Amino acid sequence: MNNRYDFIFIFDVKDGNPNGDPDAGNLPRMDPETSQGLVSDVCIKRKVRNYLIMCPDRQKGNDIYIKEKAILNNIHKEAYIATGNEQALSGNEKKRKGSADTAEQAQKWLCENYYDIRTFGAVMSTGVNCGQVRGPVQLTISRSVDPIDYQDLSITRCAVATEEESEKQSGDNRTMGRKSIVPYGLYVGHGFVSPFFAHKTGFKDNDLETLWKAFKNMFDLDHSAARGEMTLRKLIIFRHDSELGNAPAHDLFERLTISKQSASAPRSYSDYKITLNTQDLPQGVTLDENSIL
C-alpha cells in the first residue's frame, strides 16, 4: 500500500437497538449530555469479522483472531509451533515469554494468517508473548446525527424455565421481559487507513478491497430481532495520492452536510438530505471507486 485513505460511513437503524450497553441493561448507547446515539468502533469491527467468518470464498490468510469461543493463548502457542520455536513453550507457564526474536517471528506469522490482526491490530502479550500490533485501519465511535429517543417495550414469553416457576403461576407459564428500541437513527462514523502501519502488518491492497466489501455487506448478514433493519447508506472514501496524505482528514470530513427535511421527528432515511461537496477537492485527493455515493 502506498496511499492513505480517509473514509466516512453512514448507516441507519429502524425500530432496533444498534449497540446495546450491557452495563445499562442493554439500553442503546447514548451521549448523556446530547442524547445522541453511539455505536462503538468495536461493534463495527465485530460485524466486519463476522462477515469474513461467513464469507464462503474466504482465502488462506484470512482467518479471524477475535471470534466466538476462541482461546487466544492457544493461538499464540500455535504461532510459536508454526515458526519452529516450540522449545519456548516448555517450562513454567510464567516463564513462557520467548525472546524478542521468537516473539517477532510469531507476531509476523499471526499477521500473515489472521486478517483482523493485520487490519485492526491486536494485543497478543497474554500467555506466550507475541507482542502487540497497531493496525493500519482505525475507526471512530459512530454518532447519530440527531438525539435518539429510545423506547422500552414490554414482551412476554408463554413459557418458563423451571417447574418451580410454573407452580408459582399455577400453570399459566408466562415470563415477562422488556426490549429497548430506537425508532429511527442515522449514524455517522469515520475511518482511517495508514500505509505506514500497513507495511508493518502486511496489510495490502487486496485486504483493503476485502474491507470495502465487508462494509457494504456486513449489515445484510447481521439481521436479528434487535437489529432487523440496519442499513449502510453511504461509504465515502477519500484516496490520497501519497503515503503522508494530501489534506487533513477533518477538512475532507467537513465537506459532508446532513440536514433534516422537516421539523418532525425523523423516521426514515428520506427525512434527511445528505450533501457532499466534491468541488475543488485538494490536489492529490480523489473519491475512490468503491465509494457508495
Side-chain angles (χ1 to χ4, degrees):
M1 280 193 62
N2 298 310
N3 305 91
R4 196 187 96 190
Y5 292 83
D6 302 308
F7 60 98
I8 307 170
F9 52 99
I10 303 173
F11 61 93
D12 62 357
V13 58
K14 182 178 180 182
D15 296 330
N17 185 350
N19 186 202
D21 186 348
D23 288 333
N26 208 44
L27 293 174
R29 299 176 191 266
M30 58 190 300
D31 185 323
E33 293 187 353
T34 66
S35 293
Q36 288 173 289
L38 303 175
V39 173
S40 71
D41 59 309
V42 176
C43 175
I44 300 299
K45 291 175 183 177
R46 176 75 271 148
K47 297 183 191 309
V48 171
R49 290 182 171 106
N50 287 347
Y51 168 79
L52 278 173
I53 290 172
M54 292 182 281
C55 191
D57 59 348
R58 184 154 57 102
Q59 299 175 353
K60 182 180 179 181
N62 282 353
D63 203 351
I64 299 300
Y65 177 69
I66 303 293
K67 59 186 174 184
E68 188 175 0
K69 298 181 180 179
I71 302 176
L72 303 183
N73 286 0
N74 287 350
I75 298 177
H76 301 170
K77 293 177 183 178
E78 181 186 358
Y80 269 65
I81 293 172
T83 54
N85 295 308
E86 57 266 38
Q87 72 279 358
L89 302 177
S90 61
N92 187 284
E93 179 72 30
K94 293 182 180 180
K95 296 181 180 179
R96 295 179 188 173
K97 297 300 181 182
S99 65
D101 184 54
T102 56
E104 185 177 347
Q105 292 177 36
Q107 184 181 113
K108 182 179 178 181
W109 184 88
L110 288 165
C111 286
E112 291 173 351
N113 287 274
Y114 289 87
Y115 179 86
D116 54 338
I117 294 179
R118 66 175 179 271
T119 303
F120 302 126
V123 176
M124 303 172 290
S125 54
T126 60
V128 183
N129 180 35
C130 296
Q132 63 182 47
V133 177
R134 183 173 177 181
V137 179
Q138 299 296 329
L139 306 176
T140 66
I141 290 177
S142 303
R143 181 177 289 267
S144 67
V145 175
D146 290 304
I148 61 170
D149 185 17
Y150 68 83
Q151 299 176 4
D152 265 348
L153 307 179
S154 295
I155 57 176
T156 60
R157 182 179 67 180
C158 58
V160 292
T162 65
E163 291 184 4
E164 289 77 8
E165 290 177 278
S166 177
E167 291 173 0
K168 288 180 181 179
Q169 297 187 32
S170 301
D172 189 41
N173 290 14
R174 291 188 179 273
T175 304
M176 299 297 296
R178 70 176 193 174
K179 178 178 182 178
S180 300
I181 65 166
V182 176
Y184 185 80
L186 185 66
Y187 292 76
V188 179
H190 297 149
F192 314 88
V193 184
S194 166
F196 295 103
F197 292 112
H199 297 328
K200 294 180 180 179
T201 67
F203 184 84
K204 296 180 171 59
D205 286 324
N206 63 317
D207 292 319
L208 187 63
E209 292 296 321
T210 298
L211 180 72
W212 303 143
K213 188 176 180 181
F215 261 86
K216 292 176 182 179
N217 294 281
M218 61 185 179
F219 291 126
D220 287 327
L221 297 177
D222 190 57
H223 293 303
S224 71
R227 300 179 299 278
E229 293 188 67
M230 285 186 70
T231 307
L232 180 74
R233 295 295 183 174
K234 303 235 180 238
L235 179 62
I236 303 167
I237 307 167
F238 296 100
R239 180 182 185 275
H240 299 257
D241 284 347
S242 67
E243 292 184 331
L244 287 173
N246 301 82
H250 70 271
D251 283 350
L252 302 176
F253 296 156
E254 289 171 357
R255 290 175 170 268
L256 179 72
T257 303
I258 302 177
S259 58
K260 287 194 295 186
Q261 298 276 52
S262 64
S264 60
R267 286 296 182 267
S268 69
Y269 180 63
S270 60
D271 290 335
Y272 286 95
K273 180 180 180 181
I274 299 178
T275 305
L276 178 67
N277 179 12
T278 58
Q279 300 296 319
D280 301 322
L281 283 172
Q283 186 175 1
V285 177
T286 57
L287 286 174
D288 189 82
E289 60 184 9
N290 287 291
S291 298
I292 301 175
L293 303 175

